[in-house]
Amino acid sequence: MSSRMRLWLVAVGGAGLAALLVAACLDLPRFGGDRHPYGDRAVEASLSRHTANTVASVTFDQRAFDTLGEMSILFAAVLGSVVLLRQTRDEHRAVPEPAAVSRPVRRYALLVLPVALLTGLYVVAHGQVSPGGGFQGGVVAATALHLLYLGADYRALERVRPVAPYEAGDALAASAYLVTGLAALLAGSAFLANTLLPYGTFNTLASGGTVPLLNAAIGMEVACAVVVLLAGFLDQAVEIEDAGESGESGESGESDERDESGDGHDASDERGK
């Protein structure tokens, strides 16, 4: 396809999209008015399925299929980062050296770490009841682990953060989300429909039907994905070194030694002659 044809396709497609956006904006409710059909239906559906947090109901019930796409984007991004940041043949791992950490930073980082971790788990567990959910709680729990890197050193973080279990947890969480949707399909309902479990008692952790299950799966997937992603970047910054650079440094050291001796180069020239 020629560049001229591509430009025509972009122009036609852009004009059509612009026309649709203008038509949609002209039909929007008046700002500050009392006509909110989508909001009213979303709140009604949330309350009828015993989900106190309407946002969680929309995310994991009314448009749970869209959330599957968002989770897939994150999963694919982490997978791509792992592939691109993997150790190559011309790289080797250097043992990270502990850096000096000031006493106040060490003290407060280690004090905040368990509080932040529990806060992340709390946000995930109460996603269907209060503001928050799997996405927010997963990020909080994952970043809480890395306070150990700030308060101690990288080797301490590595001991509590083996990458392989988190990679498996990421895959299992994504699979659990899919399996929940397929179970609803096998039960004779729509994919990811909230029909598998009873809705439970309103405003409790067991309310919402399948919303808590999907919320927990997303929380686990996000937490594991963030840990794996940060592990790849930290490995590049702290551990992995280029063998060429180390070779160059070694060669420069040898040349310096030869220059200091003052005899090695001249003797080799004489032998060559």
Side-chain angles (χ1 to χ4, degrees), residues 29 35-44 54 58-59 62-63 66:
R35 180 172 170 262
H36 304 287
Y38 181 78
D40 295 339
R41 293 176 182 176
V43 172
E44 182 181 357
T54 304
V58 173
T59 304
Q62 302 174 43
R63 65 172 193 89
D66 295 343

Side-chain angles (χ1 to χ4, degrees), residues 148-185:
L148 191 61
Y149 174 56
L150 299 177
D153 56 23
Y154 189 65
R155 286 181 292 182
L157 175 62
E158 283 187 318
R159 286 193 290 269
V160 300
R161 187 223 58 189
V163 179
Y166 287 95
E167 291 176 342
D170 190 6
L172 288 175
S175 300
Y177 198 99
L178 283 171
V179 168
T180 305
L182 292 175
L185 194 62

Side-chain angles (χ1 to χ4, degrees), residues 214-230:
L214 298 178
N215 178 61
I218 288 293
M220 181 178 177
E221 198 274 335
V222 170
C224 293
V226 172
V227 169
V228 173
L229 188 63
L230 292 179

Side-chain angles (χ1 to χ4, degrees), residues 47-105:
L47 297 179
S48 65
R49 296 167 188 174
H50 297 185
T51 307
N53 184 7
T54 304
V55 176
S57 176
V58 173
T59 304
F60 301 111
D61 185 358
Q62 302 174 43
R63 65 172 193 89
F65 189 78
D66 295 343
T67 305
L68 174 62
E70 297 170 3
M71 179 190 67
S72 302
I73 292 173
L74 177 60
F75 186 85
V78 174
L79 180 61
S81 299
V82 170
V83 172
L84 293 175
L85 297 177
R86 70 188 185 278
Q87 185 177 351
T88 59
R89 293 180 179 179
D90 59 346
E91 293 176 336
H92 70 280
R93 290 184 177 273
V95 178
E97 298 180 359
V101 180
S102 63
R103 191 169 296 176
V105 173

Side-chain angles (χ1 to χ4, degrees), residues 3-25:
S3 59
R4 186 182 182 88
M5 181 61 68
R6 291 193 185 98
L7 290 176
W8 274 108
L9 288 177
V10 171
V12 173
L17 180 61
L20 292 175
L21 289 175
V22 170
C25 291

